[in-house]
Structures are given as structure tokens and as C-alpha cells.
């Protein structure tokens, strides 16, 4: 085995937030809370729960207060939330998140389409949010989108990723996600994006976030592991997509990542059977099968 490959990996499940954000059918707060509880029962130590954005733009997250206040919290689990601006941060404060997430794009075109401003302007908006969170003792993570490809610009150069990472580091962001938002990445391209990020952040503060549009997410996860990355984001049952990236399918399924990691002898602290149950729970509510080959195979095996 490559000596750089870690012996233990930490996963952040983004299903409750990133996974559900653009589901058209309303998902009640009690179902979201039930999903969070099942994820932490399965052994997840980091869960991205909700976002504090205008319900006009993301109506699925309008119940953020109810969800955050309804969770039976565990001291060893970090609950993160997306706060795109100071107003969002102020709304999140009473709900006591363990970490906030701000986001930026390595693509200028995507930045303009997504949040109607340039990359540099987006960082200016986030600076006071980061400052306020750090002053309050709350961790800050930066989600870097379109680090490999953009639906408007095409391929994104590693230099653009390094530029964004440097800006986020400059305003006090503590760790970052290297996200292949539209799932067009292949292993070497993903490695170049990670290597660009490592110019500004240490390996412990970089995570991989891959979508499976072209079936490359697990290959890209392995490519990141080969560089020593040991933090990853995934979504139970393969939930998700991006409302501003046409054609982007769901995040890589947490079940599939866990199965691969366990098969490599890498520890995750996650109970795969309980994780499959969590995915089945939300998939049953949504009226479809989990978007996870591992989950479907194990559920079929149980059914005989």
C-alpha cells in the first residue's frame, strides 16, 4: 500500500444539508432530525445539518432553527451549518453550531451565477462572518466549489484553486474542502487541485468532496488518499446535487465510500449496517432507492 495512504479517515456526512437542499418535495424537520440521529448512531462524528439562507432561495432549509434545536446532541459530534453572510451567521448563533461553512468558487463564472459577485468580492463578504465566528470560538470551514471543472467555463486550472485557497486562508478560514462540484474530475486532475490547495493549507486541513456524475467519485477519493488526505465529505444514500450546476448528480454515497475504505483496511469508526439503515430511512421517505450500489446490494441481501 502507498505509505501516504492514511490508516484512518474521518467522514463528514453532508446529506441533511447539501443532500436535501434542492429536493422539490418538502422534508419535515422531524424527518431531518431523524436522519441526523441515525447518522450519529452509525458513528458519524461530523454532520452538515442545515443552512441559514433566505427561504426564498432555498425553501428546503427554512426550518433550520427547528432542526438544530431538535437534535439530541452528542459531545463528540460536530454539527456544521452553512452561513453565506453576516445575517446568516447572526441567525445561526442561537442554535450553537460547532462549525460554520462559507463557500467560494474557483470559477469566476460560477461565482457570478451562484452568488452574483466575483471571487474576490465573495471573500470580502465572508471576511466579517469568519471574524465573528472565530471571535465566538466557532470553527470555520471553507467550501471550494468547481475546483476541477465548471458548467460555464469548462476545465478549471489548478492556479485558480490556489488563488481561492489563498484568499480563504487570508481571512482566517481554518480548513477547506476541495469540491468537484459537477463531478467531471478524474484522479490526476483532482490531485492537481489538492496539490494547489496544499500551498496554503496543511494536509490535516484539506478534505475531498466529490460528485459521481461520471462515476469517478471513488477513483477520485482513492487519488486523494494517495496524497495523504484523510478527511472527506459524502452524502448518505448519495443524496444531493447543486441547484446552480445543471446536470450535476449527487454527492458520492457515504455507504460506498465506507465500503471501499473498510475493504482497504482503513478505519472510519462507522457501522456500515447502521449507515445503510439511515440511507434507507431517508430514501423511503423520498420514495426512491438509495443512490448507493453498496446500500442497494446490502438491502437486497437482507431481503434474501
Amino acid at each position: 500500500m502507498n505509505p501516504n495512504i492514511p490508516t484512518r479517515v474521518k467522514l463528514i456526512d453532508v446529506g441533511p444539508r447539501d443532500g436535501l437542499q434542492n429536493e422539490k418535495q418538502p422534508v419535515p424537520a422531524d424527518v431531518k432530525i431523524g436522519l441526523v440521529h441515525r447518522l450519529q448512531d452509525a458513528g458519524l462524528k461530523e454532520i452538515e445539518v442545515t443552512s441559514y439562507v433566505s427561504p426564498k432561495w432555498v425553501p428546503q432549509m427554512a426550518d433550520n432553527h427547528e432542526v438544530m434545536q431538535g437534535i439530541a446532541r452528542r459531545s463528540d459530534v460536530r454539527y456544521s451549518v452553512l452561513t453565506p453572510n453576516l445575517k446568516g451567521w447572526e441567525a445561526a448563533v442561537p442554535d450553537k453550531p460547532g462549525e460554520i461553512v462559507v463557500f467560494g468558487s474557483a470559477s469566476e463564472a460560477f461565482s457570478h451565477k451562484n452568488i452574483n459577485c466575483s471571487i474576490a468580492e465573495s471573500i470580502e463578504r465572508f471576511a466579517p462572518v469568519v471574524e465573528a465566528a472565530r471571535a465566538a470560538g466557532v470553527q470555520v470551514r471553507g467550501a471550494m466549489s468547481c475546483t476541477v471543472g465548471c458548467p460555464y467555463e469548462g476545465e478549471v486550472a489548478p492556479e485558480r484553486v490556489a488563488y481561492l485557497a489563498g484568499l480563504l486562508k487570508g481571512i482566517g478560514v481554518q480548513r477547506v474542502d476541495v469540491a468537484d462540484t459537477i463531478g467531471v474530475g478524474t484522479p490526476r486532475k483532482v490531485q492537481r487541485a489538492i496539490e494547489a490547495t496544499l500551498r496554503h493549507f496543511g494536509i490535516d486541513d484539506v478534505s475531498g468532496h466529490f460528485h459521481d456524475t461520471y462515476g469517478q467519485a471513488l477513483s477520485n477519493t482513492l487519488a486523494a488518499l494517495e496524497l495523504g488526505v484523510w478527511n472527506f465529505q459524502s452524502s448518505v444514500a448519495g443524496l444531493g446535487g447543486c441547484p446552480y450546476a445543471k446536470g450535476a448528480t449527487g454527492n458520492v454515497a457515504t455507504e460506498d465510500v465506507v465500503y471501499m475504505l473498510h475493504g482497504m483496511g482503513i478505519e472510519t469508526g462507522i457501522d456500515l449496517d447502521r449507515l445503510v439503515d439511515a440511507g434507507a430511512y431517508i430514501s423511503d421517505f423520498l420514495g426512491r432507492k438509495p443512490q448507493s450500489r453498496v446500500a442497494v446490494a446490502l438491502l437486497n441481501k437482507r431481503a434474501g
Side-chain angles (χ1 to χ4, degrees), residues 39 51 75 83 100 109 127 139 142 146 149 153 176 197 212 215 240 258 261 287 299:
L39 289 172
S51 63
S75 59
T83 57
I100 66 160
Q139 297 286 309
C146 295
E153 289 185 8
V176 289
T197 306
D212 209 29
V258 169
L261 294 173
L299 289 169

Side-chain angles (χ1 to χ4, degrees), residues 221-251:
T221 300
L222 179 57
L225 286 167
E226 290 175 341
L227 293 180
V229 174
W230 60 278
N231 289 282
F232 292 90
Q233 279 133 37
S234 56
S235 180
V236 66
L239 295 171
C242 177
Y244 299 98
K246 186 177 180 180
T249 56
N251 299 285

Side-chain angles (χ1 to χ4, degrees), residues 19 25 31 39 52 59-60 104 114 119 124 127 139 141-142 145 153 166 190 200 212 231 237 242 248 287 292:
Q25 70 178 97
V31 173
L39 289 172
Y52 293 79
Q60 190 68 258
N114 193 0
I119 295 171
E124 289 179 10
Q139 297 286 309
R141 176 160 51 91
S145 63
E153 289 185 8
V190 163
H200 301 282
D212 209 29
N231 289 282
C242 177
S292 159

Side-chain angles (χ1 to χ4, degrees), residues 49-164:
V49 178
T50 189
S51 63
Y52 293 79
V53 297
S54 169
K56 175 183 176 182
W57 299 113
V58 188
Q60 190 68 258
M61 299 290 111
D63 57 2
N64 41 37
H65 295 296
E66 186 178 356
V67 172
M68 283 293 284
Q69 293 176 15
I71 296 169
R73 298 196 185 195
R74 296 185 180 180
S75 59
D76 61 345
V77 177
R78 179 182 288 177
Y79 306 92
S80 59
V81 302
L82 187 74
T83 57
N85 49 41
L86 204 52
K87 184 177 180 180
W89 157 251
E90 291 167 350
V93 169
D95 297 333
K96 299 179 179 179
E99 180 179 63
I100 66 160
V101 183
V102 296
F103 54 88
S105 173
S107 159
E108 287 287 359
F110 191 82
S111 184
H112 281 283
K113 288 281 187 179
N114 193 0
I115 52 177
N116 300 310
C117 68
S118 69
I119 295 171
E121 288 169 339
S122 73
I123 299 301
E124 289 179 10
R125 291 183 187 178
F126 295 139
V129 181
V130 176
E131 183 180 6
R134 294 288 301 271
V138 176
Q139 297 286 309
V140 181
R141 176 160 51 91
M144 303 197 303
S145 63
C146 295
T147 61
V148 179
C150 167
Y152 311 107
E153 289 185 8
E155 193 163 326
V156 174
E159 289 72 23
R160 303 305 302 167
V161 180
Y163 170 68
L164 174 60

